Amino acid sequence: MLLGVVLSLYHFFLYIQDDFDYTVCCKGMYMEYRETVSFVLNGIERKLETKRAWTLLYVLREVYQLTGTKYGCGTGDCGACRVLIDNVAVNACSVPIHKVDGKTVLTIEGVAGDPQLSIIQQAFVEAHAIQCGFCTPGMVISAAGLLLHISEPTEKEIREALKDNLCRCTGYVHIIEAVKLASNKMKEVEDGH
Amino acid sequence: MGIDNSHDTVGCSPYNRESWDKVTGNTQYIDDLRFKGMLHAALLLSPHAHARIKSIDVSDALALDGVHAVIHCFTTPNILYNSAIRFYSDIDPSEMPCTERVFDQEVKFVGDRVAAVAAESEETARTAVKLIHVEYELLPSVYSLDEAVADAAVQATPFGISKTNLCGGWVAYGNQDEASVLQTIKQSPLQSVSTFRTSRVHHGYLEPVAHVAHYTPSKKLTLWTSSQSVFSFRDVLAQLVGLPQNAVRIIKTVSGGAFGGKLEVMHEPVVALLSMQTMRPVKIRLNRKEVFSSTRTRHEAIITLSSGYASNGRLIAQHVYSLLNTGAYAGSGPNTVGAQSGKTFVQYDAEAMYYRGACFYTNTPIAGAMRGYGCPQLMVAREVHMDGIARKLGIDPVQFRLQNLLLPDAKNCMGKPTHQALGRVCLEEGAKQFCWEERRKQAIAKSSGTTRYGIGVGTAVHGSGWYSVYQDMTSVTMMMNNDGSLQILTGIHDLGTGAKTVLAQIAAQTLHIPLDTIEVIEVDTAVSPLDLGAQASRSTYVGGNCVLECAQQIKEQLLEEASLMVGIDEQQFALGDGDVIEMVSGKRISFASIIDSAQKGLHGKQRQIAAVHSYASHTSVYSYSAVFAEVAIDVESGAIKVMEILCVHNSGTIINPAQCEGQVHGGVQMGLGYALSEEMEIDLETGRIKNPSFKGYHMFRSHQMPKISVTFIQGAEPSGPYGAKGIGECATDGVAGAVVNAVAHALGGVSIDHIPVHATYVKELLTQNYRVQ
């Protein structure tokens, strides 16, 4: 608990310093340590022996080779590394791995296997919401985080839900349309059409 | 008989061919590539804006466990190059000055390369970088463009012409000599002069710059990079590492956004040299702070426009005087000036026009290609200037522009044909759709309390390819597979824009075959035919024309073989719905059987149905836009909210409307940031960037974006593939002008002289000039 508070504080300090690191949160604060973290990753139970205060992003990309989650800035400002932790969209670059102990993590690779959430991916393709695609996994995750909580969001709610995800290609127009389309499609499925 | 061409797709919006891999996280960008034994590199970047390296001690770094190599200026080739070359022979010192080295003993900006480490992990490499000890001798430096152009300015680099900071040389020409043009302005009934400053902005691509190099014992170097121009990268790399071009293979990976920012060689030579030293694959991936400080930016500009005009609003003469900040190295600086100069003459009509411009060195991050390539600077400065004239004359800004925009099928002041110059049509259509006159009045009427509304317009123009400023060409290889499907090898670089999808559509339309039987294989110097890179909005126009003509050759080969098979004249055949059809009888012959016949030589010469085609672009055509904007300004905070944007574009026939719209939407996002929020702030004491993060560098986010409407004024360009012209750059060129003019309108007709228009500037404008209308 205390560790968590200290980490969070230090984490915040680093955050405002723009000095995050891809590999580890809390650089310089901890020497090597060992901790076992258990979590469910894309439906599979994982037990990981962490040697450092690794970021969740580092673990996903380098330990599990789930490279669909992108490194865009490392400072929690672009959303390219978004994943769902217990159905809430968060930036994996800003989460120390021990924070996911006992939690459920879903990455873009896991979305395809979810019949409900994969509807979002279909909608992104159909709405021409994908250009370079680097922000796409994070956008899909943010959309999933929204639609899991608000099934029929207003445009304003969609814009708010995506505001932590930067995109430089699309002006967000087709992405917002994709989220609306996904919401409609999910509703149709729910209504049994 | 009627031929079913159900596979015709030009004008339809098939999905981007890369979508499914991207949306499922399967696409491998460079940072996702994994190689056995791969090392990770990190850079030591200069903390000083200008210094000479006296010594470098790498012993501590090398002693660190896991470090394999450290390289710097005393251990690497001392070869001068230009990172922005296009043709191999681009060495004209006035256009492509060679000013860069892989590592230079004289560092010229905060973020310049000092040394690089290759280690077992990124973390180790970054730790080792901190253990490199460098002794610097500090040199005087210059950061601002104003200081750099001043007499007796500090020299930012040794490369300035005649001990100034001038890079390359002046670009100066017009339809009359400069003195005559200035004289015509002076003798005009009315004159206006205004100076406008545009800021240094970053491309802000989401994928950080990354490269992987692998040199093997067979003395071959392979390099994966998110490049926009692999062939020129190969030319530079081969020279720097001392290998023949056949031994250097550059593979373009899927681009995570580029916008011009990956057009110039960046840290590729570093990983190449590290791999050659360690014989291991070496990867570098910059962090975001490094992306801001040591990649490329847009050129900061100071542009002065002088115009002479009649009281009825007719422009008589215009003079453009443009100064660009190229940063510490030449790169594409002189070329950007050249490209900017051309836009002077293809937007408005006047009796006399002259452009004079140059770029200057400073000890700041390197400027380079960025979507628009000199054009957004000129367009915003000029559109604000034109609004100033309209205001002075009391003429409506739309009417004023309609009086002066170039006419189609005419000649501009330089005597060049204007082709389909539909800028006026864009403007008229936009004014109608936006209810310009009404809303312009309403904006003033509805401004009350602390909110002021404003409506503005801006026009823009952009070319499709390099011609006639430079030579332009591309090549395509097409091969029919045995089942009648098609492989297209192209050098056209898809940056996520959907260029591959558009090229496939053009091939499908020409051969009447289904889109999903066409494979477009992207750029790899080992397999792709030559191309000059994703730049100049040339992919659809130049690449599309090449694909079209190459597909026609394939069609001729198919018809010829069919004719031999059936024994009747090939004129009697047509392509339709994936088959060759004998028109009289309606008999169908499958591509597969024709290909089989050709390969076995059953009826004629034994051969493969394949073609290699080079297309040289010899027509200079332009795309046009008119952008309309509404803004709301809170006078207490100075905050500007963009309420609505309408973009009307003429890019000829639109091959893929949904993708094309997407280009415009993205261009708007970039243009809004340029106008209102984006600026790389350089500390004028140290030369450091004050805001090298997405937290400090403000790109528009989803909740800040206005409603955007897009209209295309179609009209086939005769020289374009199925009538198409370019879109990529024109999408962003006109946005800032419209927004700034809307802000000026909201504030009662103030003169705005720089971007971005921050809230603090709005408050300044309010105290200086505000008057209620």
Side-chain angles (χ1 to χ4, degrees):
Chain A
M1 177 62 195
L2 182 65
L3 179 74
V5 172
V6 173
L7 275 174
S8 300
L9 282 172
Y10 192 71
H11 189 226
F12 180 70
F13 171 72
L14 287 174
Y15 184 78
I16 55 171
Q17 291 284 306
D18 284 338
D19 199 22
F20 253 48
D21 191 278
Y22 170 58
T23 313
V24 287
C25 285
C26 321
K27 198 171 171 67
M29 187 167 183
Y30 289 95
M31 300 307 285
E32 298 229 335
Y33 76 100
R34 281 176 192 280
E35 192 176 343
T36 304
V37 179
S38 303
F39 61 112
V40 176
L41 176 58
N42 295 337
I44 301 165
E45 281 191 34
R46 299 283 188 184
K47 207 169 245 186
L48 178 75
E49 183 113 320
T50 67
K51 293 177 187 157
R52 308 280 308 274
W54 283 333
T55 62
L56 174 59
L57 178 61
Y58 177 82
V59 170
L60 293 174
R61 291 181 55 85
E62 308 303 333
V63 177
Y64 297 110
Q65 301 299 322
L66 294 170
T67 55
T69 306
K70 303 299 178 197
Y71 170 93
C73 68
T75 52
D77 296 311
C78 78
C81 66
R82 289 218 138 183
V83 296
L84 290 178
I85 299 181
D86 288 349
N87 286 346
V88 176
V90 294
N91 295 323
C93 74
S94 309
V95 176
I97 187 64
H98 70 270
K99 290 262 189 176
V100 301
D101 192 45
K103 302 203 165 156
T104 300
V105 177
L106 192 79
T107 71
I108 190 68
E109 289 88 350
V111 171
D114 182 312
Q116 195 195 8
L117 296 183
S118 62
I119 291 171
I120 301 169
Q121 290 170 313
Q122 178 78 41
F124 267 65
V125 175
E126 288 178 14
H128 294 270
I130 302 153
Q131 287 191 34
C132 88
F134 205 79
C135 75
T136 304
M139 285 284 183
V140 169
I141 293 287
S142 283
L146 170 69
L147 295 173
L148 283 171
H149 295 95
I150 305 171
S151 60
E152 291 172 63
T154 62
E155 179 166 327
K156 194 169 179 225
E157 285 169 330
I158 295 171
R159 286 177 183 271
E160 283 295 316
L162 301 180
K163 74 174 187 200
D164 295 326
N165 293 74
L166 278 172
C167 171
R168 193 55 147 174
C169 298
T170 67
Y172 310 97
V173 180
H174 288 165
I175 294 175
I176 291 162
E177 282 168 18
V179 180
K180 286 183 199 164
L181 181 63
S183 162
N184 291 340
K185 280 171 173 270
M186 285 161 113
K187 189 167 180 288
E188 277 172 26
V189 171
E190 221 165 80
D191 295 349
H193 292 301
Chain B
M1 63 159 287
I3 294 171
D4 173 15
N5 284 328
S6 61
H7 299 307
D8 293 0
T9 61
V10 165
C12 305
S13 298
Y15 307 142
N16 187 311
R17 354 195 81 209
E18 297 178 330
S19 298
W20 274 109
D21 280 348
K22 285 176 174 174
V23 81
T24 50
N26 279 292
T27 296
Q28 289 203 309
Y29 300 84
I30 306 173
D31 198 20
D32 306 328
L33 299 176
R34 301 288 189 266
F35 295 91
K36 195 178 158 203
M38 186 165 77
L39 299 176
H40 298 260
L43 294 169
L44 172 61
L45 300 175
S46 172
H48 304 296
H50 198 188
R52 188 169 295 109
I53 296 167
K54 292 173 78 178
S55 67
I56 300 183
D57 178 0
V58 299
S59 51
D60 287 349
L62 275 172
L64 187 70
D65 201 24
V67 171
H68 288 255
V70 184
I71 57 174
H72 49 75
C73 63
F74 300 115
T75 65
T76 50
N78 181 11
I79 300 172
L80 280 169
Y81 66 98
N82 184 308
S83 58
I85 63 160
R86 301 147 306 167
F87 285 103
Y88 187 43
S89 62
D90 276 349
I91 47 167
D92 181 339
S94 68
E95 285 186 6
M96 285 285 166
C98 289
T99 61
E100 297 156 77
R101 291 179 174 88
V102 183
F103 294 98
D104 202 309
Q105 201 180 339
E106 183 185 321
V107 288
K108 301 181 190 72
F109 68 102
V110 176
D112 208 350
R113 287 191 295 257
V114 174
V117 175
E120 291 289 341
S121 72
E122 183 189 333
E123 200 184 3
T124 305
R126 288 188 180 278
T127 307
V129 158
K130 290 179 184 146
L131 299 173
I132 300 172
H133 310 292
V134 186
E135 199 185 343
Y136 298 96
E137 176 197 343
L138 299 187
L139 299 172
S141 50
V142 56
Y143 308 123
S144 81
L145 185 52
D146 295 277
E147 283 175 37
V149 300
D151 289 338
V154 167
Q155 261 201 287
T157 87
F159 299 103
I161 307 287
S162 309
K163 295 200 182 284
T164 68
N165 287 306
L166 179 62
C167 168
W170 287 93
V171 172
Y173 63 102
N175 69 324
Q176 299 171 11
D177 65 67
E178 192 168 19
S180 308
V181 175
L182 290 170
Q183 187 63 23
T184 309
I185 293 170
K186 211 172 154 189
Q187 287 171 350
S188 298
L190 296 158
Q191 298 94 25
S192 284
V193 180
S194 66
T195 296
F196 198 87
R197 287 156 188 275
T198 68
S199 67
R200 177 200 305 270
V201 292
H202 196 271
H203 311 77
Y205 36 73
L206 265 283
E207 178 199 30
V209 167
H211 325 292
V212 177
H214 192 191
Y215 183 73
T216 59
S218 59
K219 297 191 172 141
K220 303 218 186 228
L221 174 70
T222 306
L223 199 132
W224 291 261
T225 184
S226 171
S227 166
Q228 291 179 237
S229 184
V230 294
F231 291 97
S232 46
F233 279 39
R234 177 201 59 190
D235 295 354
V236 171
L237 259 288
Q239 183 203 4
L240 293 177
V241 302
L243 288 170
Q245 293 185 354
N246 67 298
V248 178
R249 180 180 183 186
I250 315 280
I251 300 172
K252 172 197 172 287
T253 50
V254 176
S255 177
F259 314 104
K262 296 169 183 172
L263 186 59
E264 298 167 20
V265 173
M266 286 188 283
H267 308 297
E268 287 90 348
V270 174
V271 279
L273 292 170
L274 284 170
S275 182
M276 290 174 87
Q277 194 161 328
T278 59
M279 303 302 283
R280 302 260 295 260
V282 178
K283 176 172 99 174
I284 189 163
R285 194 256 303 122
L286 304 189
N287 64 29
R288 187 53 62 174
K289 190 174 175 182
E290 292 163 340
V291 170
F292 274 106
S293 65
S294 58
T295 57
R296 296 292 183 275
T297 71
R298 195 188 287 293
H299 294 82
E300 176 195 7
I302 304 174
I303 298 176
T304 302
L305 284 122
S306 313
S307 297
Y309 48 94
S311 55
N312 65 1
R314 180 72 194 155
L315 193 63
I316 296 167
Q318 194 168 66
H319 183 272
V320 177
Y321 180 70
S322 176
L323 306 171
L324 302 186
N325 181 349
T326 191
Y329 295 98
S332 56
N335 257 307
T336 306
V337 177
Q340 183 182 68
S341 73
K343 310 298 185 298
T344 306
F345 308 99
V346 293
Q347 186 181 17
Y348 291 105
D349 195 18
E351 284 167 32
M353 280 200 179
Y354 199 90
Y355 175 93
R356 172 177 286 279
C359 61
F360 293 83
Y361 296 109
T362 57
N363 297 109
T364 61
I366 313 166
M370 182 170 171
R371 193 182 204 171
Y373 208 81
C375 190
Q377 293 95 323
L378 177 62
M379 291 296 137
V380 64
R382 186 188 241 172
E383 288 304 278
V384 171
H385 176 79
M386 294 303 262
D387 250 37
I389 297 176
R391 204 155 43 231
K392 201 163 139 186
L393 291 170
I395 301 179
D396 175 82
V398 168
Q399 292 307 320
F400 173 63
R401 284 177 174 81
L402 285 174
Q403 257 183 288
N404 291 297
L405 283 169
L406 278 175
L407 289 166
D409 301 316
K411 287 194 168 160
N412 69 5
C413 68
M414 303 294 282
K416 297 266 177 67
T418 58
H419 299 287
Q420 295 253 313
L422 297 183
R424 298 159 65 96
V425 183
C426 292
L427 187 60
E428 279 174 325
E429 178 59 26
K432 200 160 53 173
Q433 282 187 23
F434 207 66
C435 303
W436 167 263
E437 282 179 31
E438 263 173 76
R439 287 178 69 174
R440 186 93 174 158
K441 285 178 205 142
Q442 275 171 12
I444 305 298
K446 73 179 178 183
S447 292
S448 63
T450 59
T451 310
R452 300 280 177 273
Y453 292 89
I455 303 283
V457 65
T459 65
V461 56
H462 212 102
S464 301
W466 290 341
Y467 192 83
S468 58
V469 181
Y470 303 105
Q471 295 298 312
D472 200 344
M473 68 152 289
T474 192
S475 300
V476 159
T477 300
M478 285 191 187
M479 299 174 286
M480 297 300 300
N481 295 320
N482 300 339
D483 64 354
S485 62
L486 177 70
Q487 305 288 113
I488 302 178
L489 299 182
T490 174
I492 295 293
H493 299 57
D494 191 332
L495 308 179
T497 53
K500 275 178 13 180
T501 309
V502 163
L503 296 183
Q505 283 180 257
I506 289 168
Q509 182 88 8
T510 311
L511 293 168
H512 304 301
I513 55 175
L515 265 182
D516 57 11
T517 64
I518 299 171
E519 202 58 35
V520 182
I521 295 141
E522 246 196 295
V523 200
D524 173 341
T525 56
V527 295
S528 307
L530 181 70
D531 180 63
L532 306 172
Q535 50 184 317
S537 300
R538 64 191 282 281
S539 296
T540 298
Y541 181 77
V542 180
N545 266 330
C546 193
V547 164
L548 175 63
E549 291 186 0
C550 193
Q552 281 166 342
Q553 291 181 17
I554 293 283
K555 177 180 169 181
E556 281 164 26
Q557 291 182 31
L558 289 166
L559 296 185
E560 186 195 354
E561 185 68 24
S563 154
L564 291 170
M565 286 167 78
V566 181
I568 50 176
D569 189 75
E570 60 189 81
Q571 304 295 326
Q572 304 297 314
F573 293 94
L575 298 186
D577 207 12
D579 289 320
V580 171
I581 303 171
E582 195 190 316
M583 284 186 286
V584 177
S585 67
K587 190 185 157 203
R588 286 169 173 269
I589 311 170
S590 72
F591 280 15
S593 61
I594 294 171
I595 290 157
D596 186 58
S597 168
Q599 286 182 13
K600 290 177 180 159
L602 297 179
H603 300 92
K605 190 184 165 205
Q606 197 168 354
R607 70 202 193 281
Q608 179 185 6
I609 303 287
V612 181
H613 182 64
S614 287
Y615 174 81
S617 176
H618 286 143
T619 312
S620 175
V621 301
Y622 290 87
S623 297
Y624 299 85
S625 78
V627 182
F628 294 79
E630 178 174 16
V631 299
I633 300 175
D634 181 85
V635 292
E636 279 178 3
S637 66
I640 300 168
K641 183 163 174 56
V642 184
M643 309 300 288
E644 190 178 342
I645 294 279
L646 166 68
C647 302
V648 184
H649 279 266
N650 165 243
S651 288
T653 306
I654 306 301
I655 305 279
N656 185 318
Q659 279 189 184
C660 201
E661 256 180 40
Q663 286 293 295
V664 177
H665 295 151
V668 169
Q669 192 265 4
M670 203 171 261
L672 291 176
Y674 194 44
L676 300 177
S677 64
E678 293 180 34
E679 179 176 22
M680 287 175 66
E681 297 167 47
I682 307 286
D683 184 317
L684 295 178
E685 296 292 312
T686 62
R688 282 179 204 182
I689 304 165
K690 293 198 250 178
N691 55 341
S693 74
F694 282 142
K695 205 184 315 300
Y697 183 85
H698 302 289
M699 289 168 22
F700 267 64
R701 293 175 179 272
S702 56
H703 66 301
Q704 296 161 327
M705 289 295 289
K707 176 191 168 202
I708 305 171
S709 310
V710 182
T711 296
F712 295 112
I713 303 293
Q714 303 240 10
E717 161 54 43
S719 67
Y722 295 105
K725 297 189 280 191
I727 184 66
E729 293 171 284
C730 202
T732 208
D733 290 334
V735 179
V739 172
V740 173
N741 286 336
V743 172
H745 182 234
L747 298 181
V750 295
S751 294
I752 292 173
D753 65 7
H754 72 266
I755 48 171
V757 184
H758 283 313
T760 45
Y761 183 34
V762 170
K763 292 179 86 170
E764 212 178 284
L765 287 166
L766 280 165
T767 49
Q768 283 172 8
N769 297 314
Y770 188 67
R771 59 195 160 86
V772 180
Q773 288 193 342

